[in-house]
Amino acid sequence: MVTKHSERLYGLDHLRAWAIVLVLMYHYRAFKHPFWIDQVGKFGWTGVDLFFVLSGFLISGQLFREIENKRDIRLRTFYTKRFFRIIPPFLFTLFLYFVFPFFRERESLPSLWKFVTFTQNYGLDVINQGTFSHAWSLCIEEQFYLLFPLMLLVLRKGKIFRYMAVFMSILIGFSVIIRWMMWNEFVVISEQGSLDFWRVWYMKIYYPTHSRLDGLGIGVLTGYLMQYSSGIKNRVHRNGNMLFLIGIFLLGVSFWVCREQASEEASIIGFTLVALSYGVIVLSVVSESSFLYQWKSSVTSQLAMLSYTIYLSHKGIIHMMQNTLDYFDIQASGNGSLLICLMACLVGGLFYRWGIEKPFARLKYRMLKEKK
């Protein structure tokens, strides 16, 4: 699906920009910060869930259209595009973390092989190896990029592709069941709020791919319905603003359920409710009747384009900036310092974009042109 004037869906840019702001506010609480960040950033962890829904929606929509138009998926083209989009900035960030200790926001890193194989999200002891821990979500997305196109090919050749909505619904339910099992088997026996509780909760519930498939599943489900259900697609395009209000209401309910992030209700059903809320909001912003679909903003468009590299680098940059502020006896917990750190994250994102992403994008286009 494209807009009439551009291939870019500006409504999704607004959501990407919002997602990275949420993540920044949430992670900033781990550094010296103004007191109000604790409350403003409390639900910032949901920014990752929004990224999952967006990835599921965008990638599945791209592949569904390719199936419709070409009756096949060009795996080499898909993987080449994903490689050059994801890997060069990621490897540069790994280089910074492993070669320059002053970039590390904490002392200890997981093994390098877990990063390069995108399996760091399994067995991640965030209490003792919390440096670059936020790469866990990238691991899940990379696993999704690798396996989802193959799954589509299998379903299509098996003549069961039309049951995609059923498969995604089962996948979403599977994540809920897994979290319920992990809670009762491992988490409930830990003392609530202790270091051991947090270690087990992150390791068994929050980080593993199999317990976090609901966000991606809801994104794929919305992409499938928009591609193959003309009735739902027409209703979405007619009721964009209403869908946005419904999504915001559901998000408010989700936040109430998840008011304590590691509570039983949040851990088992809350993550799914958050993803479902964002799924409705995603549908609202791709609706032609939505005010967010029609509103073009250069600020959110630019922030959306920088969101991936800001996500990769923001912890290391904030850590270095606060150490620099401390060296010059500048209060690192003030509002001015917050602004300085956030601006530094933007500058870092721009460096990545022009120094890494752009050159590798040119190489990608050359490679894709040669393959034609």
Side-chain angles (χ1 to χ4, degrees), residues 56-181:
F57 178 80
L58 288 165
I59 295 300
S60 67
Q62 172 188 330
L63 294 173
F64 292 150
R65 288 191 297 274
E66 188 163 2
I67 290 174
E68 285 297 295
N69 296 332
K70 301 183 182 297
R71 303 298 173 186
D72 200 2
I73 296 175
R74 297 172 297 172
L75 289 177
R76 287 182 60 188
T77 299
F78 176 82
Y79 289 136
T80 298
K81 288 180 177 180
R82 289 293 90 200
F83 177 89
F84 282 100
R85 174 73 179 96
I86 301 296
I87 301 303
F90 176 68
L91 290 181
F92 179 72
T93 307
L94 277 184
F95 171 77
L96 293 178
Y97 269 112
F98 278 89
V99 175
F100 301 104
F102 60 82
F103 191 75
R104 302 172 189 171
E105 69 274 7
R106 293 179 61 179
E107 298 80 13
S108 190
L109 276 162
S111 300
L112 178 62
W113 71 267
K114 301 206 76 172
F115 286 106
V116 298
T117 58
F118 293 101
T119 56
Q120 174 232 10
N121 63 314
Y122 279 98
L124 175 56
D125 181 356
V126 72
I127 303 300
N128 296 308
Q129 293 182 320
T131 298
F132 201 19
S133 60
H134 55 290
W136 71 272
S137 62
L138 180 60
C139 293
I140 293 178
E141 296 216 18
E142 280 299 291
Q143 293 160 24
F144 170 69
Y145 298 148
L146 176 64
L147 297 177
F148 183 66
L150 301 177
M151 186 191 81
L152 286 184
L153 288 176
V154 171
L155 292 178
R156 183 171 174 271
K157 291 180 179 179
K159 310 296 184 182
I160 51 178
F161 180 76
R162 63 182 179 275
Y163 298 113
M164 176 63 65
V166 176
F167 293 139
M168 289 301 106
S169 298
I170 292 173
L171 198 67
I172 294 164
F174 171 79
S175 289
V176 176
I177 293 170
I178 285 293
R179 292 198 298 267
W180 174 75
M181 293 173 60

Side-chain angles (χ1 to χ4, degrees), residues 27-43:
H27 286 161
Y28 205 89
R29 303 189 315 163
F31 301 92
K32 296 176 183 178
H33 58 270
F35 71 92
W36 56 267
I37 289 291
D38 288 318
Q39 289 303 313
V40 171
K42 181 177 181 180
F43 294 103

Side-chain angles (χ1 to χ4, degrees), residues 5-45:
H5 305 291
S6 170
E7 293 185 353
R8 194 165 192 89
L9 289 168
Y10 295 106
L12 296 180
D13 281 347
H14 304 324
L15 293 188
R16 285 194 203 93
W18 177 238
I20 193 60
V21 169
L22 283 171
V23 169
L24 283 170
M25 292 298 99
Y26 182 70
H27 286 161
Y28 205 89
R29 303 189 315 163
F31 301 92
K32 296 176 183 178
H33 58 270
F35 71 92
W36 56 267
I37 289 291
D38 288 318
Q39 289 303 313
V40 171
K42 181 177 181 180
F43 294 103
W45 57 270

Side-chain angles (χ1 to χ4, degrees), residues 253-361:
V253 173
S254 303
F255 283 1
W256 181 81
V257 173
C258 298
R259 57 194 181 278
E260 296 296 333
Q261 183 187 3
S263 66
E264 181 177 3
E265 57 268 27
S267 300
I268 296 174
I269 194 65
F271 297 160
T272 304
L273 291 176
V274 167
L276 178 62
S277 305
Y278 281 135
V280 174
I281 293 173
V282 166
L283 287 178
S284 77
V285 304
V286 298
S287 168
E288 293 175 353
S289 63
S290 168
F291 75 99
L292 287 174
Y293 176 92
Q294 300 167 11
W295 173 43
K296 178 180 177 180
S297 168
S298 58
V299 173
T300 56
S301 293
Q302 291 300 316
L303 190 54
M305 285 190 289
L306 297 176
S307 60
Y308 172 55
T309 54
I310 291 176
Y311 186 83
L312 285 175
S313 61
H314 70 280
K315 281 187 179 179
I317 290 175
I318 293 171
H319 169 70
M320 290 193 304
M321 291 305 302
Q322 291 207 346
N323 280 350
T324 302
L325 293 171
D326 286 338
Y327 179 81
F328 288 103
D329 293 324
I330 299 173
Q331 184 183 17
S333 61
N335 291 319
S337 299
L338 167 66
L339 183 60
I340 290 171
C341 289
L342 294 182
M343 291 302 297
C345 290
L346 286 173
V347 171
L350 288 170
F351 170 79
Y352 271 81
R353 178 160 183 77
W354 292 103
I356 300 172
E357 289 186 317
K358 288 286 188 179
F360 278 97

